[in-house]
Amino acid sequence: MSIKGHDIQNHSWSHPDLAQETEEEVRRELERTQDIIEEVSGLRPTKIRPPYGAGGFRGHLDPELVRVAGELSLTIVTWDIDTEDWKAPQGLGQEKIAYIEEQFTQMPRKVSFNVLMHILAGTARDLPSFFSQLREWGFTIAEP
């Protein structure tokens, strides 16, 4: 679901580890979020990115999350590359760039990546240099 060029999706109501919750609690978390987003925007999300990725990675899918997401017509999405931009110091400094590069090299045959980033001042500050680094590595930036 996109509003003014921004992808708006479900991430749960209170950010719990959904893989540890009962099916009833997973349903409450996702339905409440679906409802408020629809109430505010007029559109209903089509994807859920579970907090911490818990229960959402291939090979580690949580059955309750899968069932509830299916009932709500939500596709479960996760990421390939974790920037850890939220860790202190926030942003994408050299240590984190090295960690990101290491993650890319562990998937040499993969050609398309979902990169996890957060809305933080440090991340926004470092985006231009991060995008330059990605281009140096041979990547292009695509729409989500």
Side-chain angles (χ1 to χ4, degrees):
M1 172 184 78
S2 187
I3 299 173
K4 295 185 179 182
H6 299 277
D7 241 11
I8 310 292
Q9 301 300 343
N10 196 320
H11 189 53
S12 79
W13 185 261
S14 65
H15 211 262
D17 178 338
L18 294 174
Q20 299 300 314
E21 299 293 340
T22 65
E23 186 169 333
E24 182 178 307
E25 186 56 30
V26 171
R27 185 172 290 104
R28 240 189 324 269
E29 286 282 329
L30 301 188
E31 282 181 342
R32 188 173 183 194
T33 306
Q34 290 289 94
D35 292 346
I36 194 68
I37 291 172
E38 185 173 29
E39 180 183 319
V40 171
S41 71
L43 300 171
R44 201 149 177 89
T46 59
K47 296 176 185 170
I48 167 67
R49 182 176 61 80
Y52 322 105
F57 283 100
R58 188 173 299 149
H60 302 282
L61 292 171
D62 178 69
E64 290 84 7
L65 175 58
V66 170
R67 260 191 307 281
V68 173
E71 290 169 12
L72 298 175
S73 301
L74 291 167
T75 301
I76 300 170
V77 296
T78 53
W79 57 89
D80 304 301
I81 304 296
D82 186 354
T83 64
E84 294 190 346
D85 59 337
W86 57 273
K87 285 185 176 179
Q90 289 184 356
L92 300 165
Q94 281 310 116
E95 282 185 28
K96 291 177 186 169
I97 295 294
Y99 174 64
I100 293 164
E101 183 176 25
E102 179 183 321
Q103 291 176 77
F104 280 126
T105 61
Q106 292 174 5
M107 297 177 265
R109 291 187 185 93
K110 193 164 177 61
V111 296
S112 180
F113 297 88
N114 288 319
V115 178
L116 177 63
M117 301 175 90
H118 297 82
I119 302 169
L120 300 166
T123 302
R125 175 198 65 226
D126 296 340
L127 273 180
S129 62
F130 180 59
F131 286 163
S132 293
Q133 182 64 67
L134 287 171
R135 288 185 185 99
E136 281 182 34
W137 290 337
F139 291 102
T140 56
I141 309 299
E143 292 292 320

